[in-house]
Amino acid sequence: MRSLNAEGLTATLDMLGEDVADAAAAQRVCDGYVDLIDRIAASSLKTNLSLKVSALGIAIDVAQAQAHLARILDHARERLDDPFVRIDMEGYALLEPTLALFEATWLTRKNTGPVLQAYLHRTPSDVARMIELGARVRLCKGAYHEPRDVAVHGHEAVQSRFMACAVQLLQGGVYPAIATHDPALIGAVREVAPRLGRGPADFEFQLLYGVRPDLQRELVQAGHRVRVYVPFGTHWARYLRRRMLERRENLTFALRSFAGGR
């Protein structure tokens, strides 16, 4: 984290773990995030937090998951200069519960915002809703294998949908986060943002730790804000498998990283 910050990169830390099996496990996740906030404060790191509501036990007890989220958000506000906490999006079955939990929390705590997945058919309307609320959105392509009645399929279709949602956010959203490693999409956003009245301080690019690090630094050198998504922890296997299945190029990047390359 210190190394990333030294190179002008901010970050978002994600303590890996999802679909907890019982209330005690959800409590441990909540406690872990509270401890993480204290460690960030003590280290003066420039980072946000990311979390999954399934790790907070939303499938076990919605009210308890909301209480865990509130505790994390309140502690972040008390301890951190930048207390923003991103609510990650998971599979389609958890989309409605995640957005419902976000909106219920948003009523009293504004230091949070959701991730929206561009490939879902409903995402343009979800983007419009978040713009209406004034919430900060992280836009990504989508990492789950959803059926055609739920999501668009095919490279060109996903590219087109992502760009349409990015333009929607750049037109009316609050400090949108554009999360992609695709140079073509990044180039298109850089081209269209000034035409929509958005300067480099009005949005940020987000990329995964270890994926296209040279591009991350090139963007910083060009004056853009770049946040690196940094997952960590013992529950890494499921996350890694999903990332490998998501994009074939992710496997190449991972192997390069293991070999010490860039």
Side-chain angles (χ1 to χ4, degrees):
M1 290 298 304
R2 293 189 182 95
S3 177
L4 290 172
N5 288 170
E7 295 187 75
L9 298 155
T10 56
T12 183
L13 281 170
D14 176 20
M15 188 167 63
L16 292 174
E18 52 194 281
D19 296 328
V20 298
D22 53 58
Q27 183 66 58
R28 287 194 295 272
V29 171
C30 181
D31 293 343
Y33 271 99
V34 169
D35 178 65
L36 181 58
I37 289 167
D38 290 337
R39 290 170 182 266
I40 292 169
S43 302
S44 299
L45 297 171
K46 295 179 181 178
T47 185
N48 294 156
L49 298 173
S50 291
L51 56 78
K52 291 179 172 59
V53 295
S54 67
L56 299 181
I58 195 170
I60 302 168
D61 186 333
V62 173
Q64 193 60 52
Q66 185 171 354
H68 287 325
L69 178 59
R71 180 187 174 206
I72 292 166
L73 293 173
D74 289 346
H75 197 62
R77 287 193 299 188
E78 292 169 2
R79 296 300 314 276
L80 302 178
D81 293 333
D82 181 1
F84 187 77
V85 178
R86 181 73 66 188
I87 301 175
D88 282 339
M89 190 56 68
E90 304 179 62
Y92 192 77
L94 278 177
L95 191 153
E96 283 286 358
T98 299
L99 291 182
L101 179 60
F102 162 73
E103 291 209 27
T105 302
W106 177 256
L107 294 173
T108 55
R109 296 168 175 85
K110 307 299 186 187
N111 58 317
T112 187
V115 176
L116 296 179
Q117 300 176 104
Y119 70 160
L120 299 178
H121 295 310
R122 59 172 285 168
T123 297
S125 63
D126 287 333
V127 169
R129 174 59 177 163
M130 293 304 115
I131 291 174
E132 178 186 2
L133 290 174
R136 286 170 54 178
V137 171
R138 178 183 193 260
L139 178 69
C140 67
K141 286 183 179 179
Y144 297 82
H145 291 275
E146 304 292 0
R148 291 181 181 274
D149 63 332
V150 166
V152 298
H153 283 223
H155 177 75
E156 294 300 326
V158 175
Q159 297 284 99
S160 177
R161 174 59 63 80
F162 183 95
M163 199 59 210
C165 291
V167 168
Q168 193 179 357
L169 285 167
L170 289 168
Q171 285 176 325
V174 175
Y175 193 67
I178 309 300
T180 179
H181 310 104
D182 190 316
L185 288 176
I186 290 173
V189 169
R190 293 178 69 182
E191 181 180 347
V192 75
R195 300 206 300 265
L196 298 174
R198 292 285 190 150
D202 297 324
F203 66 98
E204 67 183 29
F205 290 108
Q206 294 192 359
L207 298 92
L208 292 171
Y209 181 77
V211 179
R212 297 194 186 277
D214 291 338
L215 176 58
Q216 296 175 19
R217 289 155 181 80
E218 288 171 11
L219 288 169
V220 169
Q221 291 169 7
H224 290 283
R225 295 183 175 183
V226 179
R227 189 174 302 278
V228 181
Y229 182 92
V230 183
F232 73 97
T234 58
H235 293 67
W236 55 267
R238 189 169 181 176
Y239 170 85
L240 180 63
R241 180 177 181 273
R242 186 169 64 250
R243 289 297 178 187
M244 294 304 98
L245 292 173
E246 175 190 2
R247 299 284 182 270
R248 183 177 297 177
E249 68 176 3
N250 286 354
L251 179 57
T252 302
F253 289 130
L255 291 175
R256 286 177 182 170
S257 179
F258 294 149
R262 296 173 68 84

